[in-house]
Amino acid sequence: MSRIEHEKEIKSRVSRRSFLKGCAMAAAALGLSDELVPKLAEAAASPKRPPVVWLHFQECTGCTEGLLRASHPDIATLILDIISLDYHETVMAAAGHQAEEILSSTIDKYSGKFICVAEGAVPTKDGGIYCKIGGRTALEIIKDVAPKAAAVISIGTCASFGGVQAASPNPTGAKGIGDVLGKQVINIPGCPPNPIAFLGTVLHLLTFKRPPELDSLGRPLFAYGRRNHDQCERRAHFDEGRFVEQFGDANHKKGYCLYKVGCKGPVTYANCPAVRFNDVSIWPVGAGHGCIGCTEPNFWDTCSPFYERLPGVKLPGAGVVTDADSAGKKILGIAAAAAGIHAAVGIGKRLVKGNQEEGK
Amino acid sequence: MYEKRLAWSVLFRLFHWAFALSIMVLVATGLYIHYPWSNSVIEGSRSFVVAKVRYVHFVAGFVFISALLVRLYLWFFGNRQEKLWDSAPVTPANIKNLFSTIGYYLYLTDRHEQRLGHNVLAGTVYILTILFGFCQVMSGLWMLYPESPFWGSWGVSLLGSQAQARFVHYLIMWYFSIFVFIHLYIVIWNDVKDPEGLISSIFTGRKFFHKDTIS
């Protein structure tokens, strides 16, 4: 399908009204004045807007599915249409050599102008042989495409920080896109990330020709600047000391705080409580399940077990030995036992030798 | 006969008690924040228990930070006993004292070298404790100011994520709990074994020396 025909398709599918609605939502998420909505709309509708090459590596396509299956179809359509997708393995019509040709012609034709969106981690062990597309390894593809792109966006936790593939023991040496390229890219982590965070970032890039302000992990601050815990609707229950003790108990039914059943909201930067998912005001804590920290680097290792407060204590060579609580108690017990034995030895020695003080 | 000699300055004693009391409050409130065992069923802000305990934890945390800064100052500008190198295993005499103290504590020798300041084993552990204290402050301040770019960039480069910060903060809490226990045992043991007024010295600043051992 040529580009012009593609434009016609957009016009038939997205009404002007829903298009502006999407732009307004993105502007709100970005914290921009509504006066800038026409600017965003203009940039998004411009025929000169840069094409997007969407690469898939070690991933489950959940991020793309998260966008496509949004219950509010306008957002998904808007995202897929405004960004002028020239290459996206899940949704493009082309296949095989045809598809690979589109990739190489797009990156040549729009060199330095297109936006590269990467979904999934890149395996680096054994020359990267654990993920191959069209005969090339993921490592070769990203190193070929990314340097020619105007901007690189990692969508999802896998592309941002390695995700589940990079969880210990990381058998394929999986890494996030930024680590593979050795430079800062825009990270939109989450499993899946919020479509609004992605849409806002893309519209910011199109409108202002630069990425939004990022934190030290490359996440846009407008979406990842605050912890879930600090904007959670159940926060009052935390402060006032009302907790779910186990799933399904009376406190759970009353909607109390999920902190004691392992909610990772206090350590997770995201905008889930504010923006929510699927446009039906839903997110994990709202549905009665703790946050698992999916926007954080290495959350599979540092935020699991998901239903406990803290991860287990690992000893080198022995793996996970025990949870942090009982580790501390055991060491304290050993110290107490040692002190007891020490005192007993002292008393015993004094009994055997007699009290030397008396002789002084 | 005994001679009374000044070991610890007023500032040092203030540091010790601010440090000791803040650690006790921090461990107690920290354990509560980790596992809020009381589960209120009172609705509304009449029950504000976790927020209040967190507030006490933060106030005690700032007392702890102040105490740490005072100790850092005394490392370099305190009296002879309070200086960093007086009880650090950096000179041959100090290294000798480190091993003789270990021997003394293991009942291998009865010879006790009387020192006006810390023995070197204690001094080494205290240096480690101050360093752990700084780790605690770094992780704690990042959790207190999660949106600060300053603490955030430090926290990410040192610890990676808030989840790691919380984990490390919790493990070091156990270090402090175990340290307090062993510290109390050892000072009582020392006071029983060799009465030089070790315990009262942290109140009065004075230690008692056998006249015949004063060099």
Side-chain angles (χ1 to χ4, degrees):
Chain A
M1 189 166 26
S2 80
R3 237 172 145 214
I4 311 239
E5 282 164 357
H6 187 61
E7 308 272 306
K8 279 183 195 157
E9 273 296 294
I10 297 175
K11 287 192 183 106
S12 64
R13 277 185 288 162
V14 186
S15 69
R16 177 82 186 152
R17 184 183 165 80
S18 56
F19 173 72
L20 285 176
K21 223 163 109 183
C23 289
M25 280 172 88
L30 283 163
L32 297 174
S33 151
D34 61 353
E35 283 171 19
L36 277 162
V37 173
K39 285 233 158 61
L40 293 182
E42 193 190 319
S46 159
K48 280 191 263 170
R49 69 192 185 276
V52 169
V53 167
W54 192 301
L55 303 170
H56 291 256
F57 300 125
Q58 278 184 317
E59 43 91 0
C60 66
T61 317
C63 301
T64 293
E65 292 290 340
L67 301 182
L68 294 175
R69 300 283 180 269
S71 73
H72 197 310
D74 293 347
I75 297 295
T77 323
L78 189 72
I79 289 169
L80 294 175
D81 290 340
I82 61 161
I83 60 176
S84 173
L85 275 176
D86 282 28
Y87 180 89
H88 186 303
E89 282 146 19
T90 312
V91 298
M92 67 185 171
H97 294 296
Q98 231 185 346
E100 296 311 304
E101 267 170 42
I102 295 172
L103 177 61
S104 67
S105 70
T106 304
I107 63 172
D108 287 340
K109 194 173 164 196
Y110 296 100
S111 183
K113 291 185 194 120
F114 70 95
I115 295 173
C116 172
V117 179
E119 185 178 342
V122 173
T124 57
K125 210 163 156 187
D126 302 327
I129 56 166
Y130 301 107
C131 178
K132 278 189 168 181
I133 299 149
R136 288 198 297 166
T137 64
L139 202 58
E140 283 168 349
I141 296 172
I142 192 69
K143 287 201 167 161
D144 176 31
V145 175
K148 293 175 188 156
V152 181
I153 301 175
S154 299
I155 187 163
T157 300
C158 299
S160 301
F161 309 121
V164 68
Q165 300 75 216
S168 177
N170 194 359
T172 63
K175 284 182 179 172
I177 303 300
D179 287 341
V180 167
L181 298 174
K183 65 167 191 171
Q184 182 71 275
V185 300
I186 305 166
N187 289 330
I188 315 284
C191 197
N194 198 307
I196 297 287
F198 178 69
L199 178 66
T201 306
V202 170
L203 280 178
H204 196 286
L205 270 174
L206 294 180
T207 310
F208 302 109
K209 315 285 181 242
R210 60 181 164 80
E213 208 184 333
L214 306 175
D215 72 2
S216 58
L217 288 164
R219 302 178 291 196
L221 280 172
F222 77 85
Y224 301 92
R226 186 167 289 164
R227 297 186 301 194
N228 273 346
H229 188 56
D230 298 333
Q231 38 187 345
C232 179
E233 70 257 28
R234 299 193 185 202
R235 178 56 187 264
H237 293 305
F238 173 83
D239 284 334
E240 295 164 18
R242 291 184 295 273
F243 298 97
V244 174
E245 294 290 345
Q246 67 181 86
F247 287 106
D249 70 5
N251 292 355
H252 194 208
K253 285 172 191 157
K254 285 180 194 155
Y256 287 171
C257 175
L258 295 153
Y259 181 79
K260 281 165 92 169
V261 288
C263 179
K264 301 298 185 299
V267 295
T268 305
Y269 290 86
N271 57 355
C272 309
V275 176
R276 308 186 182 216
F277 284 85
N278 297 355
D279 307 309
V280 289
S281 294
I282 199 72
W283 71 294
V285 172
H289 187 285
C291 167
I292 61 168
C294 74
T295 59
E296 290 293 307
N298 307 319
F299 81 98
W300 289 99
D301 295 325
T302 61
C303 291
S304 62
F306 292 141
Y307 303 110
E308 280 166 36
R309 289 276 310 116
L310 291 171
V313 179
K314 284 186 190 122
L315 292 183
V320 178
V321 173
T322 178
D323 64 276
D325 252 334
S326 67
K329 281 176 198 156
K330 274 174 194 153
I331 297 169
L332 190 61
I334 291 166
I341 292 165
H342 190 266
V345 169
I347 294 164
K349 213 178 155 194
R350 183 172 287 196
L351 285 175
V352 172
K353 278 193 172 178
N355 196 341
Q356 290 167 353
E357 288 267 315
E358 307 300 321
K360 269 184 191 168
Chain B
M1 281 297 287
Y2 287 94
E3 186 184 315
K4 196 160 104 171
R5 288 176 66 181
L6 180 73
W8 312 121
S9 65
V10 173
L11 190 57
F12 182 89
R13 283 173 264 158
L14 282 174
F15 145 74
H16 176 272
W17 288 112
F19 202 58
L21 294 175
S22 67
I23 287 172
M24 282 180 218
V25 173
L26 284 166
V27 168
T29 52
L31 280 172
Y32 181 83
I33 295 164
H34 169 69
Y35 183 79
W37 43 267
S38 74
N39 203 336
S40 171
V41 285
I42 305 169
E43 294 271 354
S45 53
R46 268 189 303 147
S47 155
F48 210 47
V49 53
V50 175
K52 279 178 186 156
V53 170
R54 289 175 81 234
Y55 176 75
V56 173
H57 191 78
F58 302 150
V59 171
F62 280 106
V63 174
F64 182 83
I65 292 170
S66 317
L68 269 186
L69 293 176
V70 167
R71 189 67 188 98
L72 203 63
Y73 169 81
L74 290 173
W75 266 359
F76 301 103
F77 304 106
N79 70 25
R80 203 170 65 83
Q81 297 78 252
E82 293 157 7
K83 282 208 166 77
L84 175 62
W85 40 86
D86 181 68
S87 56
V90 286
T91 62
N94 276 5
I95 291 167
K96 198 165 150 276
N97 180 266
L98 177 66
F99 289 105
S100 77
T101 307
I102 293 171
Y104 179 62
Y105 282 3
L106 292 176
Y107 303 110
L108 297 177
T109 169
D110 274 337
R111 208 183 64 78
H112 175 47
E113 188 189 333
Q114 282 204 314
R115 289 168 67 94
L116 194 53
H118 306 306
N119 70 54
V120 180
L121 180 62
T124 309
V125 174
Y126 295 160
I127 292 166
L128 191 69
T129 305
I130 297 293
L131 294 179
F132 271 128
F134 273 100
C135 298
Q136 207 67 326
V137 169
M138 295 303 285
S139 51
L141 284 175
W142 185 28
M143 288 191 281
L144 182 58
Y145 301 115
E147 289 164 34
S148 144
F150 177 75
W151 292 112
S153 59
W154 267 106
V156 166
S157 51
L158 285 177
L159 297 154
S161 66
Q162 287 246 321
Q164 278 299 86
R166 196 158 292 248
F167 188 49
V168 167
H169 201 75
Y170 186 70
L171 292 183
I172 297 177
M173 182 280 295
W174 277 110
Y175 170 81
F176 275 98
S177 309
I178 291 159
F179 167 79
V180 167
F181 173 76
I182 294 176
H183 178 69
L184 289 177
Y185 174 74
I186 294 278
V187 291
I188 294 168
W189 182 85
N190 265 291
D191 218 36
V192 171
K193 194 97 173 23
D194 196 73
E196 57 183 25
L198 188 65
I199 292 176
S200 71
S201 77
I202 203 61
F203 296 98
T204 63
R206 271 93 180 152
K207 279 188 180 177
F208 292 87
F209 277 64
H210 292 295
K211 268 268 161 82
D212 51 345
T213 59
I214 292 169
S215 48

